[in-house]
Amino acid sequence: MYKNICKNFEPKRDNLLLILHEIQDSHPQQYITKNAMKYVAEYLKISIAQVKGVISFYTMFSTTPRGKYLIRVCNSTACFIKGSDNVLEILNNILDLEKESITEDNLFSLETCSCLGVCGNAPVMMINKEVYGNLNEKKIKKIISDLKRGNK
Amino acid sequence: MRQNSKAFNRHGIITLKNVGKINPESIEDFIAHDGYIAFEKALFDMNEDEVIDEVKDSGLRGRGGAGFPTGLKWSFTAPLKVKDKFIICNADEGEPGTCKDRLIMEGDPHKLIEGILIAGYAVRANKGYIYIRGEYYLSIERLGKAIKDAYKHGYLGQKILETNFSFDLEIKVGGGAYVCGEETSLIESLEGKRGLPRFKPPFPGIAGLWQKPSVVNNVETLCNIPDIISKGGEWFRSFGTKKSTGTKIFMILGNVKNPGIIELPQGVTLRELIYEHGGGMEDDKELKCTLVGGAAGCFVGPDLLDIPMTIESLSEHGAALGSGSILVLKEGTNLIALMKNLMHFFKHESCGQCTPCRYGTEKLYRLICKISDDIARNKPDVNDLNEMLETAKMMQKTSLCALGQSPLMPLESAMKYCVIDEFKKRVIK
Ligand SMILES: Cc1cc2nc3c(=O)[nH]c(=O)nc-3n(C[C@H](O)[C@H](O)[C@H](O)COP(=O)(O)O)c2cc1C
Ligand code: SF4
Ligand code: FES
């Protein structure tokens, strides 16, 4: 699997981030496994430590499993003013998350992120590649239950 | 929901002219709206130096935050005789409350490509990179398609339009790190590394990507270039003020009736932005103050409602324009909580490479938490605020890159306006 992804890129170090994104996106749990790191390091002829170093620097990458739906809530200034804390609390409640940031059924995980560039619609969240704006409790509930229903 | 650019856009003069009007996925539509004629004019009717002179004449200054004159920046790189030279478009747009570059990339991607091509021609570069934030999926997709189409139509590649000018263009994607918007950090990231800022000098224009001369420009900056070339620097100067020429994209956000993005001739006042273009205050509340320019920005209060929002007039008042983001805050906003949000942001985004910033951002966050949470237990006093200020001053003097130098501005300006009062109200009963 990693092989097919790497093949699309020239084995040059400056392709590292692009390769890591593709590998992460191709995993159903949106993270980068140890095996993947090893394969990428070999492919680019750099050390595993160098690959790990890059992964740990960038917040979009994860080395632990995430949900099928990765929820990123913006908590930058414009969203903060419009109640991003509230959005987080609502999501924590609906998804029944306490300590862990991933639901038991591995369907959802919750993270915060900085400005998503849709500040005019604050507060905003992103689920996988989709952006949802002007959030309120009713809207959040509907979005989550629609996703749940789609998975039955 | 696919983010609909149209919903935001109300006017457009230069950079947003086509946004919401043309089909961003069709190169034919762009060409039908005079697309690529500026590039052809530069390529066939002007030599490289004439292009740079026109940009200098326009007075265009960088829209990425620092406001460096664009023509001057290009003129450092142009004469260098090196085999590889690069144009790097900074599309990392990480400043909180900033969303203008996204709107352009989603709504008019070919305009950006045209700007990059003209820049490439002017400084005799042979390759360009657009470094886009990883979270901007739709921008990446649209620009990817636009680049493919530009190759097909002969605007990119070898011997473009049968001339001797060859230029390749590629997209690189970030990984979610604010500091990568800083130009040398961005270059490290482009090379596939951790985004640790480099010491300057040398500046990227002399030694940038793989130590080759590299011009780094913001998306909005580059999207001004086609009109400057096709209509002339003098035309461009007919917009704006003497020192801040052309237009600027403003983001009017927060407690206004109609938050959104708008391109306006430079020189508009805060009052016009809030009460005309933003539709006035939400729920007709009083204005407390605004946060101008994002996290690395500055609080601007009602006393400055009537000064032009330009780099030069704001700097007379110790403020800065930054990215053009204007977060409007109503009376009653808890500024200490907002300050905590900002300090958390800096702590989280510090790359940790240099001590003043790594340690300083931690300390600032610790102190603001002391001030904002559980006052009964923490018993904060005015010294805590002073210590924050001293720390930020030390960071401003000694940090390696502008991130560590940034917290002083919002902190100092907030204290000038209201934080002290708010603090006293809360603490000293
Ligand atoms: C921490 C930090 C973040 C920055 N983020 C951005 C950014 O997201 N986009 C941008 O264009 N410039 C950003 N800049 C400014 C760039 O370093 C650089 O000045 C700019 O890209 C130059 O382009 P311009 O001359 O066209 O403005 C940032 C600077 C710093 C210090
Ligand atoms: S100032 Fe901060 S972000 Fe900049 S190099 Fe130093 S630690 Fe990194
Ligand atoms: S501040 Fe949340 S999207 Fe910009």
Side-chain angles (χ1 to χ4, degrees), chain B residues 322-333:
Chain B
S323 61
S325 155
I326 305 206
L327 182 65
V328 179
L329 305 168
K330 63 183 175 201
E331 204 47 72
T333 306

Side-chain angles (χ1 to χ4, degrees), chain A residues 74-79 115-119 122 124, chain B residues 96-98:
Chain A
C74 168
N75 68 348
S76 277
T77 49
C79 289
C115 180
L116 289 168
V118 261
C119 329
V124 173
Chain B
T98 307

Side-chain angles (χ1 to χ4, degrees), chain B residues 43-60:
Chain B
L43 192 61
F44 294 115
D45 304 339
M46 297 166 85
N47 69 31
E48 291 93 331
D49 296 334
E50 284 166 348
V51 174
I52 294 187
D53 287 341
E54 196 71 65
V55 175
K56 277 188 179 160
D57 181 49
S58 75
L60 175 66

Side-chain angles (χ1 to χ4, degrees), chain A residues 9-10 12-18 20-21 24-25 30 44 46 49-61 70 72 74-82 84-85 112-122 124-134 139, chain B residues 1-3 8 93-99 102 129 131 133-137 170-180 185 188-196 210 253-256 259-260 282 291 294-295 327-329 333-334 337-338 341-342 344-345 348-349 351:
Chain A
F9 298 91
E10 269 185 76
K12 291 190 304 187
R13 170 118 198 211
D14 58 298
N15 283 329
L16 177 57
L17 271 80
L18 288 170
L20 290 175
H21 272 299
Q24 175 162 288
D25 289 350
Q30 314 202 44
L44 297 179
I46 54 180
Q50 282 171 318
V51 175
K52 275 191 184 158
V54 166
I55 292 174
S56 67
F57 187 83
Y58 298 96
T59 50
M60 287 183 80
F61 298 130
L70 170 56
R72 294 191 175 104
C74 168
N75 68 348
S76 277
T77 49
C79 289
F80 177 74
I81 287 298
K82 293 278 184 168
S84 58
D85 280 356
T112 57
C113 67
S114 37
C115 180
L116 289 168
V118 261
C119 329
N121 296 3
V124 173
M125 68 176 171
M126 199 162 181
I127 303 185
N128 294 348
K129 297 187 177 181
E130 293 289 311
V131 175
Y132 301 85
N134 301 317
K139 218 163 160 180
Chain B
M1 171 179 99
R2 272 212 160 177
Q3 197 47 47
F8 279 172
E93 191 156 78
E95 196 63 59
T98 307
C99 33
R102 172 179 186 135
Y129 290 94
Y131 182 92
R133 284 186 67 170
E135 293 92 341
Y136 279 13
Y137 293 104
E170 209 181 296
I171 293 176
K172 292 281 182 187
V173 174
Y178 166 68
V179 71
C180 287
S185 164
E188 286 285 310
S189 182
L190 264 181
E191 292 180 2
K193 303 185 193 145
R194 291 162 74 89
L196 304 179
W210 298 300
L253 307 167
N255 304 131
V256 285
E282 193 179 57
L291 175 58
L327 182 65
V328 179
L329 305 168
T333 306
N334 182 347
L338 181 59
N341 179 280
L342 292 181
H344 181 265
F345 175 77
H348 183 255
E349 299 298 343
C351 82

Side-chain angles (χ1 to χ4, degrees), chain B residues 61-68 70 73 90-95 100-101 178-184 200 216-219 221-222 401-403 406:
Chain B
R61 297 169 71 170
R63 305 291 197 240
F68 194 84
T70 307
K73 187 184 272 190
N90 188 341
D92 195 45
E93 191 156 78
E95 196 63 59
K100 62 195 176 70
D101 298 344
Y178 166 68
V179 71
C180 287
E182 195 280 333
E183 53 190 13
T184 60
K200 290 191 269 194
V216 184
N217 273 136
N218 169 259
V219 174
T221 311
L222 288 164
C401 87
L403 191 147
S406 297

